[in-house]
Amino acid sequence: MEAQAARNVFPLLPSLARIPAVSRIPASQKLGELDTLFQSIWEGTILGKRLTDEQGIIVLVNSAYCKIVGMTSEELIGRPFTVVYNGNQDNAHSLEAYRRRFRSGEIESFIEREMSMRDGGKINLEATSSFVQNEEGKRVLLTVLRDVTEQKRARRALEESEAKYRSLFANSIQPMFQSSVDGKMISVNNAFLKLLGYSSMEELEQIDIARDLYANADDRKDVQTMMHSKGYVRNAEIRLKRKNGNIITVLEHARTLRDEDGNDVGYEGILEDTSARKAMEKKIQEYVAALEESGKELADLNAQKDKLFAVLSHDLRSPFASILGFCEILITENETLSQEDRLQFTGFVRDSAKDQLALVTRLLDWSRLESGRIRMDMKVLDISDVVRKSVSALLGLAKQKKVSLVSTLPADIKAQGDEDLMQEVFTNLIANSLKFTPEGGVVKIEGGERVNNQWTVRVCDTGIGIPENDLQKLFKVEEKYTRKGLRGEKGTGLGLPVCAEIMQKHGATMSVASEVGKGSTFTLTFPDAAPQGGENILIADDEEGVRILHARYIKRLRPQANVLFASTGQEVVELTKHSHISLIISDFDMPKMNGLELVTTLKNDATTKDIPVVIVTGRDSEASHQSFLDAGVLEVLTKPVVPDQLSEVLNRVKGSPSLVQA
């Protein structure tokens, strides 16, 4: 049975209408009924073609279909189309669904899905379906299949590659960018945003690169010139502005993007933040400079030590000649010596031993001060009280020498210091003045003027004075300058150097002016412990060397600031009661009250709770840092502290003036 051509149904295949109404006809007979044109179109394609009836039975397939599914036409025709699929699939359900859609005419015209084939493999298929009719008006379904497995695999590989690239770009720790020639950002990664302090690409899109991103617009012109001429730049050092206005230094590595005609259309590249490296290099340079300075100081100290030992070797040996000589006489001639001789010789031994003991004691005092082995108990002192005690202690000696000893210092000269060491300074200076002041003379302690937050105190006498050439020797321990007093009193030559060392440890100064025959004046200046004006910065540390070092940093950064000192947390609390403190920089590990306890105490007092506190610690755990911040600390610095860190802290203190750069 042959049908009339159904050209209105399938005009490109006019012989399709010759498909027999009975579907189960051998393939050879069906192919034989197809004319040459139909066969050429049906077979001459890489697309798999299949005809199925309303029951889902395969009516006809082409060679390409057989190749796609891996079966012959004899294995396919007359069987359900699901025969090509893996038996583990729900083929019965698929067949039933097909029949239902066939009857309703709701066949999907295009589908794309992965199918499990009978041989166990999986392929991705694209299928287009449409109805055609035979001569009896019965519909059959023409399905055209295309194996897109390789295309899918290639597309998936491309997508994965693109995803990896996007992930690499987005999550790279190196700042990456793409920009246009006219100065607009096209794409940046998270590291780029973080580096410059922006939160989104949208923010960057609004800025002009040359104007808003480069610290110097000429830098971009220079980079563009290099990019145009060479097509790339490497290690180009440029300075960029972060969103907050801070300037950072980076190295740019980039290449030029060009179109097919060789025109520049954009740039892409990476940035390398060198700020941390430069900061480290700066720290290293500071450390090297400090080491060089320390080396010079050590060389000077060694020279002083050699000179001191040369001087002391004579003074330490000389008394022993007398001591040993008289001891020998007392032992060998004891029976022939008179009582008067014994007493006289024993007195010589005693006096020499006392002189030697005084020399050794002074030498040990100087050594302990120089090496920092004396722990200073710093507190707020009234210098007039210290002077009063020294005057009281020496008043008897003054009466004995018939010298007038008076103090005209006013009260409330507040300075920080160790009371015992300050007492030693004034006692030594007053005793020296008494030694060289003749009967009827005057030793007076006067002054009390306050200038630029400094107290001035003078110890004056009407004594014999000091030769001008000797003034420069007084405070140098290696000179060991000494003279006998007017009444033959001996000195060690170390008293004034020890006093000078004590004053230096207190951040104070001592100078001398003298005229032979008219007397001498020793002038002492002390930092005011309760300055009334300016910015007061309190440094708290139980190590004297650290206090001095931090004070030098502060004065370098803030020359006009008043620097106060404390060695314990309790001293900090006391000082805050007497002075208006702008900032406290405190070590964590201090005796009696550590840094955290100090902060807690200050924050619980309404009068001190708003004072900014910086804690310096050698502990670098995040947990301890966080506990400090939770307690209200402004900043936590890890030792060793360098000027840059203090500079940033001082900038953060509310209302502080601009820094004077070191």
Side-chain angles (χ1 to χ4, degrees):
M1 296 182 294
E2 296 183 359
Q4 296 291 327
R7 288 181 170 81
N8 60 327
V9 177
F10 207 160
L12 292 179
L13 298 177
S15 298
L16 183 60
R18 298 178 182 174
I19 297 172
V22 179
S23 60
R24 298 181 185 273
I25 300 176
S28 58
Q29 181 179 342
K30 292 181 178 180
L31 289 174
E33 295 175 353
L34 295 175
D35 59 23
T36 302
L37 177 60
F38 177 80
Q39 185 174 352
S40 175
I41 295 175
W42 184 258
E43 291 293 341
T45 177
I46 61 172
L47 301 177
K49 297 180 180 179
R50 180 191 70 198
L51 291 174
T52 50
D53 64 12
E54 62 181 343
Q55 297 302 315
I57 304 301
I58 297 175
V59 176
L60 191 61
V61 294
N62 67 352
S63 300
Y65 183 87
C66 294
K67 183 178 180 181
I68 290 173
V69 301
M71 298 175 68
T72 64
S73 59
E74 285 77 9
E75 293 175 308
L76 294 169
I77 295 176
R79 303 181 68 183
F81 70 89
T82 55
V83 70
V84 302
Y85 303 138
N86 191 296
N88 293 330
Q89 297 186 148
D90 192 358
N91 292 330
H93 176 75
S94 299
L95 193 58
E96 179 59 34
Y98 168 88
R99 292 167 180 169
R100 186 168 58 253
R101 289 196 297 270
F102 192 100
R103 289 193 295 269
S104 65
E106 297 176 352
I107 294 293
E108 295 175 284
S109 61
F110 177 82
I111 60 172
E112 179 184 343
R113 66 182 58 166
E114 184 180 68
M115 305 299 298
S116 296
M117 309 309 288
R118 189 175 68 168
D119 61 3
K122 291 185 177 181
I123 61 175
N124 292 96
L125 296 173
E126 284 183 358
T128 57
S129 301
S130 61
F131 286 108
V132 295
Q133 292 181 337
N134 64 10
E135 61 182 10
E136 299 176 355
K138 290 185 178 181
R139 293 182 300 177
V140 291
L141 187 67
L142 171 63
T143 301
V144 179
L145 298 178
R146 186 161 70 99
D147 183 357
V148 294
T149 303
E150 289 304 319
Q151 293 91 322
K152 290 280 287 187
R153 185 178 295 114
R155 186 162 64 238
R156 190 179 301 114
L158 179 60
E159 290 172 350
E160 290 175 355
S161 176
E162 290 177 347
K164 288 179 181 178
Y165 168 77
R166 286 193 297 270
S167 176
L168 180 65
F169 178 80
N171 301 314
S172 172
I173 60 173
Q174 201 81 0
M176 305 172 74
F177 70 92
Q178 286 184 330
S179 66
S180 64
V181 174
D182 61 356
K184 294 296 182 181
M185 279 298 176
I186 299 172
S187 179
V188 301
N189 65 352
N190 294 330
F192 190 97
L193 293 172
K194 183 177 180 181
L195 174 67
L196 295 175
Y198 289 89
S199 58
S200 66
M201 180 62 200
E202 287 71 21
E203 281 188 299
L204 278 176
E205 288 175 340
Q206 305 304 314
I207 71 171
D208 180 270
I209 294 177
R211 184 187 66 244
D212 303 323
L213 200 58
Y214 279 76
N216 183 354
D218 290 338
D219 286 351
R220 175 169 168 79
K221 294 178 181 177
D222 294 340
V223 170
Q224 280 186 302
T225 300
M226 293 175 61
M227 295 281 276
H228 180 72
S229 61
K230 300 176 63 176
Y232 66 90
V233 293
R234 292 195 186 100
N235 296 315
E237 185 172 285
I238 57 176
R239 297 169 69 243
L240 300 180
K241 288 185 288 188
R242 302 185 82 244
K243 183 181 177 181
N244 60 9
N246 290 344
I247 305 299
I248 60 173
T249 303
V250 301
L251 293 180
E252 181 175 348
H253 316 272
R255 70 185 184 96
T256 305
L257 302 177
R258 293 189 168 114
D259 60 19
E260 295 179 354
D261 298 325
N263 299 314
D264 295 354
V265 295
Y267 312 111
E268 65 179 11
I270 62 174
L271 301 179
E272 181 182 347
D273 184 6
T274 61
S275 301
R277 187 180 72 192
K278 284 187 172 293
M280 182 60 68
E281 289 174 352
K282 185 176 181 181
K283 286 183 181 179
I284 292 173
Q285 290 172 355
E286 290 175 352
Y287 292 151
V288 170
L291 286 173
E292 290 176 349
E293 185 176 347
S294 297
K296 293 177 182 178
E297 291 177 356
L298 285 173
D300 293 341
L301 286 174
N302 280 331
Q304 291 176 10
K305 177 198 69 175
D306 293 341
K307 188 174 182 180
L308 174 64
F309 283 167
V311 172
L312 291 177
S313 62
H314 173 268
D315 289 353
L316 288 171
R317 282 199 306 254
S318 294
F320 284 105
S322 176
I323 292 172
L324 292 173
F326 284 117
C327 286
E328 182 68 21
I329 293 173
L330 287 170
I331 293 173
T332 60
E333 302 178 17
N334 181 53
E335 295 181 356
T336 62
L337 291 176
S338 66
Q339 182 66 20
E340 184 179 350
D341 288 339
R342 289 192 188 94
L343 290 174
Q344 184 183 20
F345 294 165
T346 304
F348 288 149
V349 171
R350 180 198 61 192
D351 291 344
S352 294
K354 286 173 64 177
D355 290 343
Q356 198 70 353
L357 177 62
L359 177 63
V360 172
T361 299
R362 284 298 187 191
L363 183 60
L364 289 175
D365 286 345
W366 174 82
S367 175
R368 290 165 63 203
L369 280 167
E370 187 68 23
S371 62
R373 285 180 288 133
I374 289 182
R375 184 175 291 277
M376 297 170 62
D377 183 16
M378 300 291 288
K379 58 185 177 182
V380 177
L381 305 174
D382 189 334
I383 298 299
S384 60
D385 286 341
V386 176
V387 170
R388 178 178 51 78
K389 292 178 182 178
S390 293
V391 169
S392 297
L394 294 171
L395 199 54
L397 179 63
K399 291 183 179 295
Q400 180 184 341
K401 295 177 179 291
K402 297 180 181 181
V403 173
S404 177
L405 175 58
V406 295
S407 172
T408 61
L409 284 180
D412 292 327
I413 302 177
K414 300 296 184 181
Q416 275 191 290
D418 180 289
E419 186 171 7
D420 292 338
L421 292 177
M422 280 290 101
Q423 194 82 58
E424 183 175 349
V425 169
F426 282 104
T427 298
N428 194 291
L429 291 177
I430 295 171
N432 271 351
S433 292
L434 291 172
K435 186 190 300 186
F436 296 103
T437 301
E439 291 184 7
V442 177
V443 174
K444 182 168 61 174
I445 300 91
E446 62 181 19
E449 301 91 357
R450 181 179 178 277
V451 179
N452 295 328
N453 291 321
Q454 298 277 334
W455 292 110
T456 300
V457 177
R458 293 179 294 277
V459 179
C460 310
D461 66 59
T462 58
I464 61 173
I466 305 168
E468 184 177 355
N469 292 338
D470 292 341
L471 291 177
Q472 60 183 353
K473 304 177 183 178
L474 295 181
F475 304 135
K476 296 180 179 180
V477 67
E478 68 272 15
E479 296 290 349
K480 195 180 173 295
Y481 176 78
T482 182
R483 294 186 300 168
K484 285 187 178 181
L486 296 180
R487 299 158 191 85
E489 303 98 329
K490 295 181 180 180
T492 63
L494 296 176
L496 288 177
V498 169
C499 290
E501 190 72 24
I502 291 173
M503 292 293 287
Q504 182 180 354
K505 298 296 184 185
H506 284 75
T509 63
M510 181 167 64
S511 60
V512 61
S514 184
E515 186 175 348
V516 175
K518 293 187 177 182
S520 304
T521 298
F522 287 83
T523 302
L524 291 75
T525 60
F526 302 89
D528 188 359
Q532 302 302 310
E535 185 180 27
N536 302 324
I537 298 175
L538 175 58
I539 298 175
D541 199 297
D542 59 329
E543 292 187 23
E544 178 190 1
V546 175
R547 293 197 299 269
I548 294 174
L549 180 63
H550 289 177
R552 289 188 66 177
Y553 289 162
I554 293 295
K555 293 299 287 184
R556 189 189 307 170
L557 296 166
R558 297 279 182 94
Q560 304 305 318
N562 306 308
V563 180
L564 310 181
F565 300 101
S567 58
T568 67
Q570 189 58 46
E571 289 180 23
V572 174
V573 175
E574 289 298 320
L575 279 169
T576 57
K577 295 178 181 178
H578 301 289
S579 308
H580 176 72
I581 304 298
S582 307
L583 173 66
I584 298 172
I585 301 173
S586 173
D587 184 35
F588 173 78
D589 290 313
M590 291 196 298
K592 299 180 182 179
M593 179 187 294
N594 65 35
L596 193 57
E597 294 167 338
L598 170 62
V599 172
T600 302
T601 301
L602 294 174
K603 296 303 179 184
N604 287 335
D605 189 328
T607 62
T608 59
K609 66 181 180 66
D610 294 326
I611 300 176
V613 180
V614 174
I615 292 293
V616 179
T617 176
R619 304 178 181 181
D620 55 3
S621 71
E622 292 297 329
S624 61
H625 282 208
Q626 190 57 49
S627 65
F628 298 144
L629 298 175
D630 292 342
V633 170
L634 173 70
E635 185 64 82
V636 181
L637 303 180
T638 302
K639 296 178 181 178
V641 175
V642 296
D644 283 350
Q645 292 173 298
L646 292 176
S647 175
E648 292 180 7
V649 167
L650 293 173
N651 275 328
R652 291 183 58 190
V653 177
K654 184 178 180 180
S656 60
S658 300
L659 285 175
V660 177
Q661 296 298 327

